[in-house]
């Protein structure tokens, strides 16, 4: 008996609040309608599939349907045979769902565009690679000569980077750089700078593709914030600037020392003002707070500086078209849509509300800093701070925040008392 060829099909995907790539395969003919139905219960479960009566998920009303709505004329090339990708927004009976992170991102983009500015974003993600040990358990990928900014066979003996990069190009995702990072076998992946929605779409697809590709080859690409105790954590750095109606980067002439524009100052001030509360969104796992510690270059402190990697918000040394600010606090456990929506909203609140900008960091960020404010010590505290920051939660979307907090509180309960290995086992196949 022979196996028939896979039919032409469309893989409909969306990122939920856990940053899982939820989806369905549809025959191409069925995808012409531009929608696929899902159960709202995807917003009512933890990673361990525990059902939670989270706001908006419809647990109390029988878990009704929602729809993944997409443009059938805007399908993207997939990495599986005979498969195209549809990136969907989640809708309920009233239109775009308040639970949809991609829709939340679109809303804040529209707010900035109403000011004549188009947000531009570049995402840098970090991750570790694991392989199977003799006992079948995941162990670090054997990279005998890896070091910071390492490339070549001593850094990547199996040529995994080459394969991921080639597939990324084939599906239209522009990889700007790829190299080993601080600890072996950690890698940094920087995608091309583009408009905020496309940047998040590309990162979501890249992350999904790279994990699936390597898993089929017997490797685990883990974006856990701190998968190996004692080694460096893995972050998600969000680079941000804006184009005006003429396509000019409005940061171009206003990020040098002592010449920050009011727009740049407002954005930085907003990110620092909401520093603690944003952690609940952009550092969203129990494991995230093993990474966010003092002297870790992770954005622990509520500070900013010029070309300084020991701060939360770094003003890049590059000028002209490449001028930007870099938010360094988050990690890749967060949905890129949800995280970027939070960052863009916080920056906008800083501009709109005229938050005061503290002086630039003059310490090294390791042993000396200019501030006493820092991220919460754990996810539970971060969620409590997020809940109280109603200015930010209302800007991002109250239903999305309330649902997210309920799911994450249940996740905290599931992991109470677990050791580092148990945390790894809980998260590794999802992150």
């Amino acid at each position: 008996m022979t196996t028939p060829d896979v039919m032409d099909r469309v893989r409909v995907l969306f990122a939920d609040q856990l940053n899982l790539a939820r989806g369905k395969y549809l025959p191409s003919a069925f995808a012409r309608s531009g929608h696929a139905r899902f159960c709202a219960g995807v917003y009512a479960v933890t990673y361990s599939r525990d059902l939670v009566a989270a706001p908006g998920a419809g647990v109390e009303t029988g878990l009704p349907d929602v729809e993944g709505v997409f443009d059938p004329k805007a399908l993207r090339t997939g990495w599986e045979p005979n498969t195209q990708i549809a990136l969907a927004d989640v809708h309920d009976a009233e239109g775009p769902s308040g639970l949809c992170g991609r829709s939340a991102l679109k809303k804040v983009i529209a707010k900035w565009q109403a000011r004549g500015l188009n947000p531009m974003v570049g995402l840098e993600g970090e991750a570790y690679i694991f392989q199977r040990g003799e006992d079948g358990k995941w162990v670090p990928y054997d990279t005998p000569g890896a070091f910071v900014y390492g490339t070549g066979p001593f850094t990547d003996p199996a040529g995994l980077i080459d394969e991921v990069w080639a597939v990324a190009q084939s599906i239209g995702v522009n990889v700007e750089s790829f190299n080993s990072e601080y600890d072996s076998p950690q890698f940094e992946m920087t995608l091309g700078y583009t408009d905020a929605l496309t940047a998040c779409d590309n990162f979501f697809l890249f992350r999904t593709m790279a994990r699936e590709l390597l898993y089929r080859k017997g490797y685990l690409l883990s974006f856990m914030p701190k998968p190996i105790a004692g080694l460096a954590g893995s972050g998600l750095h969000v680079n941000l600037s804006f184009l005006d109606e003429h396509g000019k980067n409005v940061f171009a002439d206003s990020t040098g020392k002592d010449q920050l524009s009011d727009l740049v100052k407002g954005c930085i001030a907003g990110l620092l003002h909401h520093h603690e509360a944003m952690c609940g969104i952009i550092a969203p796992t129990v494991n995230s707070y093993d990474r966010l510690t003092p002297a870790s270059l992770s954005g622990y402190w509520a500070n900013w500086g010029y070309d300084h990697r020991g701060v939360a918000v770094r003003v890049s040394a590059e000028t002209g078209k490449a001028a930007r600010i870099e938010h360094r606090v988050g990690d890749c456990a967060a949905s890129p849509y949800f995280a970027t929506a939070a960052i863009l909203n916080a920056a906008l609140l800083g501009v709109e509300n005229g938050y005061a900008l503290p002086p630039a960091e003059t310490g090294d960020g390791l042993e000396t800093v200019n501030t006493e404010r820092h991220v919460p010590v754990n996810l539970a505290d971060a969620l409590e701070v997020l809940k109280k920051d109603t200015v930010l939660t209302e800007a991002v979307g109250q239903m999305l925040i309330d649902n997210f907090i309920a799911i994450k509180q249940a996740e905290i309960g599931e992991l109470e008392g677990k050791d580092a290995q148990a945390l790894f086992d809980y998260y590794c196949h999802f992150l």
Side-chain angles (χ1 to χ4, degrees):
M1 180 177 179
T2 60
T3 302
D5 292 336
V6 176
M7 68 172 68
D8 286 339
R9 62 186 184 176
V10 173
R11 187 179 181 184
V12 182
L13 291 175
F14 65 93
D16 70 359
Q17 83 281 61
L18 296 178
N19 201 19
L20 297 177
R22 303 280 186 181
K24 278 187 177 181
Y25 292 110
L26 299 179
S28 295
F30 286 14
R32 292 171 190 160
S33 66
H35 64 85
R37 300 190 76 80
F38 299 91
C39 173
V42 299
Y43 292 101
V45 290
T46 63
Y47 291 113
S48 65
R49 303 169 189 84
D50 183 32
L51 189 66
V52 180
V59 175
E60 71 284 357
T61 57
L63 299 173
D65 277 353
V66 292
E67 285 193 328
V69 177
F70 57 92
D71 182 355
K73 296 180 181 179
L75 301 180
R76 298 189 53 153
T77 303
W79 52 92
E80 298 171 290
N82 305 308
T83 304
Q84 292 180 290
I85 300 293
L87 287 169
D89 295 334
V90 176
H91 285 219
D92 56 28
E94 298 179 359
S97 171
L99 300 176
C100 178
R102 193 167 186 259
S103 294
L105 176 60
K106 286 183 174 182
K107 288 179 181 178
V108 70
I109 290 172
K111 293 178 192 176
W112 278 105
Q113 290 174 339
R115 300 177 68 92
L117 299 172
N118 192 34
M120 302 295 288
V121 166
L123 298 175
E124 306 172 39
E126 297 165 337
Y128 280 82
I129 298 178
F130 294 83
Q131 62 190 39
R132 294 289 188 184
E134 293 182 359
D135 59 0
K137 295 182 179 180
W138 292 117
V139 297
Y141 175 37
D142 185 13
T143 55
F147 48 84
V148 177
Y149 298 128
T151 57
F154 286 98
T155 293
D156 179 24
L160 303 179
I161 287 176
D162 293 343
E163 297 196 41
V164 170
W165 196 322
V167 175
Q169 287 184 314
S170 74
I171 65 173
V173 173
N174 177 28
V175 177
E176 186 174 289
S177 65
F178 211 143
N179 54 270
S180 63
E181 243 293 342
Y182 193 82
D183 272 313
S184 170
Q186 187 187 37
F187 293 85
E188 180 181 66
M189 298 140 277
T190 303
L191 301 192
Y193 210 81
T194 185
D195 68 275
L197 182 61
T198 301
C200 292
D201 284 344
N202 285 345
F203 197 85
F204 172 59
L205 289 181
F206 178 87
R207 178 184 176 278
T208 304
M209 173 275 293
R211 281 176 51 80
E212 293 181 355
L213 178 67
L214 294 194
Y215 192 72
R216 286 187 181 276
K217 294 181 175 298
Y219 297 89
L220 177 68
L221 179 63
S222 173
F223 288 90
M224 274 185 67
K226 190 83 165 181
I228 304 175
L231 297 188
S234 295
L236 173 66
H237 298 170
V238 181
N239 295 274
L240 176 64
S241 63
F242 299 90
L243 298 184
D244 65 16
E245 58 186 4
H246 303 294
K248 179 184 177 181
N249 180 356
V250 296
F251 284 3
D253 303 315
S254 60
T255 55
K257 285 192 175 182
D258 302 319
Q259 60 182 36
L260 297 185
S261 68
D262 288 343
L263 177 63
V264 176
K265 291 178 181 177
C267 288
I268 299 172
L271 294 170
L272 297 184
H273 184 88
H274 298 284
H275 181 73
E276 294 89 345
M278 274 202 302
C279 282
I281 298 171
I282 64 177
T285 71
V286 171
N287 182 247
S288 296
Y289 297 83
D290 292 332
R291 166 183 170 264
L292 289 170
T293 58
S296 60
L297 304 181
S298 64
Y300 176 83
W301 299 103
N303 55 359
W304 71 280
Y306 297 99
D307 199 19
H308 194 317
R309 286 179 169 80
V311 298
V313 185
R314 171 177 170 255
V315 178
S316 173
E318 294 185 85
T319 57
K321 293 180 179 180
R324 65 193 185 277
I325 59 176
E326 176 190 22
H327 193 259
R328 299 174 54 82
V329 185
D331 62 60
C332 292
S335 156
Y337 303 104
F338 194 11
T340 303
I343 288 168
L344 285 173
N345 271 295
L348 182 57
L349 289 168
V351 173
E352 291 178 337
N353 296 334
Y355 297 149
L357 180 66
E361 180 62 64
T362 57
D364 58 19
L366 299 171
E367 296 182 358
T368 58
V369 291
N370 295 354
T371 181
E372 296 181 353
R373 288 179 54 211
H374 56 77
V375 302
V377 297
N378 55 46
L379 179 58
D381 286 356
L383 295 177
E384 287 302 315
V385 177
L386 174 62
K387 189 185 302 183
K388 294 174 182 177
D389 190 346
T390 56
V391 173
L392 179 65
T393 62
E394 290 172 5
V396 175
Q398 197 62 52
M399 180 183 291
L400 178 57
I401 297 292
D402 291 344
N403 175 276
F404 176 78
I405 289 175
I407 296 296
K408 287 295 171 178
Q409 287 175 332
E411 179 181 315
I412 292 168
E414 291 175 347
L415 293 173
E416 186 175 1
K418 303 293 186 183
D419 61 16
Q421 183 61 52
L423 288 181
F424 180 85
D425 293 342
Y426 180 90
Y427 286 121
C428 71
H429 293 113
F430 304 112
L431 303 175

